[in-house]
Amino acid sequence: MTEHSIRRAGTLIAAVLAVDGLAHLYWSTGLTWPAADSRTLSFAVLGFPVPFTPQILLPLAAALFGAALLVRGRVTLGRRHRLGWLLQAGTVAVTTGLLVRALAGLVWACGIGVRTGTAFYWLNLCAYTPACLGLGLAAVTVVRYDAKGRSWLPCTVLPLLVTAVALYGAYGYTPVQQRGYRPEAGSRFVDTPVARFHYLREGQGPAIVLLSPGAASTFAWRPQLTTLARTHTVYVVDLPGQGFTEVHDRGFRFDLPSMVSAVDTFLDAVSVRSAVLGGNSWSGGWALAYAQRHPQRVSRLILLAPSGLARPDVWSWELLKPLVVGELATKAGFGSRAAVAAGVRDLFVHRERVTGPVIDAMWAPGTLRDNLRSEYLLERGLDWRTTQNGLRRTLQPTLVVWGAKDTVLPVAQAATFGRLLPNARVSVLGDCGHALTLDCPDQVTGLMEDFLGVR
């Protein structure tokens, strides 16, 4: 290419980077055009939720403006300028970033790792990937121009190789599924178009439906099931992505509306018209959301350290939101028994209760394909703004229980639920963690009995 063509290529790259920087500056003001809100904008731009706050957007804008200046300087001042090494290094970095994004975009354009039909899928297919590929190749010509040898080449090729390996790990590799692990005694199944639901049922009397805690299965409610079944008909159910429930609907989205709909499907399938509804962690949020949408079917709520507030999660769960990173972290964290064991211990204060069978019950079902993918899809898809906004309108009598030493959802959130729910009874258990039903079974069961008026 001629020097004039190189200058034009560099100017184009710098202009696109600068325009992208201006867009980030615009969004940092709180405006979200062309999207309706920041969450929708984040999904359209990135494919996963990220807070579009000034703390995040302003450094990105500065980086984009800086990259534009470096590329423009490279084609204007040349490699032999006294700052040529810096201009070359910056341009190599820009080139690498563009090509890495193009490589990932080619995978997503094939429908691998993202849902087709979304705004992100079509923008990636029609705009992001072609632009990154074209600009990346143009940037290669800028880097090569007037360069000494090919010292820049490993700086670009190595990240591309690392990206290719990461993409294979995220979308090609699958941990071994532990299909030999069997459901507990007394398990039942009911088939629906959504899923083949796995559940337990014991006792006679008014209905109580307990949703398996997030990333767990029915075993987690066993202490409460045995006791409450003396006075109630108690159901404990694995929703899609949990335990031994098998998803039939291949389009199931693993977001809040889908999980709420799954609760409705299960209640219809077992002919429960109205019930006390309970959950722990994620499933507490699902129970809350269901009660808000179907108040006539929920007489009371039992929420144990529930999700439901629009707050960031702890970093280990926030890590599951970014594309590729979330898939890799899930497979490394949930596919390994040792990693699961370490994570489970952090949920308990009474670690002597973290026995081998408890670890296996948390780990083995989680290796099943739909359960594994549900972890990062739920982390990306659960939008708790609607549940938080509906708290003051949630009129059912509600028991809220939290462990004072919860390492997943801060115990301070208990007071928020108590303040916003009109008919809430809040209890904080001093020597308990997040896995309340197993860490402090007697205390939790006693509080549930008192709340239900059975002792």
Side-chain angles (χ1 to χ4, degrees):
M1 294 181 68
T2 65
E3 181 178 352
H4 179 67
S5 298
I6 296 294
R7 285 179 177 272
R8 290 180 61 185
T11 301
L12 174 63
I13 296 167
V16 171
L17 292 171
V19 169
D20 197 10
L22 288 172
H24 283 72
L25 277 181
Y26 170 78
W27 292 327
S28 72
T29 66
L31 298 172
T32 59
W33 186 88
D37 54 64
S38 61
R39 183 179 174 88
T40 304
L41 179 64
S42 178
F43 271 105
V45 173
L46 300 171
F48 59 91
V50 169
F52 268 48
T53 61
Q55 294 90 334
I56 292 175
L57 293 171
L58 291 178
L60 287 174
L64 288 164
F65 289 134
L69 288 173
L70 288 169
V71 174
R72 178 59 180 163
R74 174 66 177 84
V75 296
T76 302
L77 302 177
R79 180 70 177 83
R80 292 183 173 82
H81 188 271
R82 60 189 180 86
L83 294 179
W85 63 272
L86 176 61
L87 302 175
Q88 177 74 346
T91 305
V92 169
V94 169
T95 304
T96 303
L98 289 168
L99 293 178
V100 163
R101 175 59 182 84
L103 178 58
L106 289 171
V107 172
W108 296 327
C110 296
I112 299 172
V114 296
R115 293 190 179 100
T116 58
T118 63
F120 175 77
Y121 174 77
W122 288 108
L123 286 170
N124 174 72
L125 178 67
C126 300
Y128 303 151
T129 298
C132 288
L133 186 60
L135 292 173
L137 294 175
V140 168
T141 65
V142 174
V143 168
R144 292 176 59 189
Y145 179 68
D146 197 25
K148 297 178 180 179
R150 295 193 175 183
S151 58
W152 57 272
L153 193 58
C155 298
T156 299
V157 172
L158 182 59
L160 287 171
L161 291 175
V162 170
T163 301
V165 171
L167 290 169
Y168 170 76
Y171 306 124
Y173 165 73
T174 302
V176 176
Q177 300 183 70
Q178 304 299 316
R179 293 193 173 276
Y181 189 84
R182 308 308 305 164
E184 58 188 305
S187 289
R188 305 179 183 217
F189 293 88
V190 61
D191 269 304
T192 73
V194 173
R196 182 174 185 252
F197 288 93
H198 167 247
Y199 69 103
L200 305 175
R201 174 185 168 178
E202 292 186 15
Q204 293 294 326
I208 300 175
V209 177
L210 303 174
L211 310 179
S212 296
S217 60
T218 54
F219 87 97
W221 285 104
R222 173 55 69 180
Q224 292 72 39
L225 169 63
T226 302
T227 299
L228 296 176
R230 298 170 188 163
T231 53
H232 290 75
T233 302
V234 185
Y235 298 81
V236 184
V237 58
D238 294 333
L239 292 184
Q242 295 181 292
F244 298 96
T245 288
E246 299 176 14
V247 178
H248 289 333
D249 179 6
R250 302 321 303 172
F252 192 84
R253 296 184 63 84
F254 291 109
D255 56 13
L256 190 56
S258 296
M259 301 307 285
V260 169
S261 178
V263 175
D264 205 45
T265 299
F266 173 75
L267 294 181
D268 287 344
V270 295
S271 301
V272 172
R273 301 311 307 164
S274 179
V276 176
L277 188 61
N280 177 201
S281 193
W282 266 350
S283 72
W286 303 334
L288 173 63
Y290 185 81
Q292 292 173 342
R293 288 162 178 75
H294 303 280
Q296 73 283 0
R297 300 195 71 172
V298 179
S299 59
R300 288 173 175 260
L301 273 171
I302 298 172
L303 306 179
L304 309 184
S307 299
L309 300 181
R311 309 279 175 81
D313 290 323
V314 293
W315 70 268
S316 56
W317 283 95
E318 287 290 321
L319 192 64
L320 303 188
K321 289 180 178 177
L323 296 175
V324 181
V325 175
E327 283 82 346
L328 291 173
T330 298
K331 291 176 180 181
F334 291 89
S336 162
R337 187 182 186 278
V340 169
V344 171
R345 291 189 186 98
D346 285 341
L347 304 178
F348 284 70
V349 172
H350 304 94
R351 295 193 174 184
E352 70 278 4
R353 292 175 178 162
V354 185
T355 61
V358 168
I359 292 171
D360 286 337
M362 292 289 286
W363 165 65
T367 64
L368 301 179
R369 179 181 178 274
D370 283 330
N371 294 1
L372 200 64
R373 60 192 288 268
S374 76
E375 301 298 339
Y376 54 83
L377 292 177
L378 284 168
E379 183 63 25
R380 294 167 187 165
L382 292 173
D383 182 1
W384 299 115
R385 292 176 300 174
T386 53
T387 50
Q388 178 172 300
N389 292 339
L391 285 175
R392 295 188 186 278
R393 300 187 299 274
T394 306
L395 302 180
Q396 294 92 338
T398 303
L399 173 65
V400 178
V401 183
W402 229 283
K405 299 181 180 179
D406 194 316
T407 58
V408 177
L409 294 172
V411 66
Q413 293 188 15
T416 303
F417 278 98
R419 184 178 69 255
L420 296 178
L421 286 168
N423 297 305
R425 180 190 303 180
V426 178
S427 293
V428 174
L429 303 180
D431 203 26
C432 299
H434 188 65
L436 285 159
T437 63
L438 298 173
D439 193 20
C440 299
D442 294 338
Q443 292 167 275
V444 169
T445 303
L447 288 170
M448 291 172 68
E449 288 184 297
D450 289 342
F451 178 66
L452 296 171
V454 296
R455 75 168 189 175

